[in-house]
Amino acid sequence: MSVIIVGGNECMIRQYKDLCSEYKCKAKVYPKMTRELRNIGSPDLLVLFTNTVSHKMVRCALNEDRG
């Protein structure tokens, strides 16, 4: 299972990945806007921490997920 996490805190990246690996999931974490976020593909699960990201980042993640 693949998981994409958008937002969150940069200092928590390792904890997010460790938690996902406990459930045998592969996780990619994007706490900031990067070019890689535009090519997320089609993950099984998309987690958006909407309180910690910009509107532009949320729109970009949702557009790529729907695409």
Side-chain angles (χ1 to χ4, degrees), residues 19-42:
L19 183 63
C20 288
S21 66
E22 286 180 22
Y23 290 96
K24 296 180 175 63
C25 298
K26 292 183 180 180
K28 290 184 182 177
V29 182
Y30 300 101
K32 291 184 176 180
M33 183 70 174
T34 61
R35 289 186 187 262
E36 295 174 7
L37 185 61
R38 296 183 181 177
N39 299 319
I40 61 174
S42 56

Side-chain angles (χ1 to χ4, degrees), residues 42-59:
S42 56
D44 296 317
L45 178 65
L46 176 66
V47 179
L48 282 171
F49 289 107
T50 56
N51 198 31
T52 59
V53 297
S54 65
H55 293 289
K56 179 181 176 183
M57 197 168 169
V58 171
R59 276 188 253 118

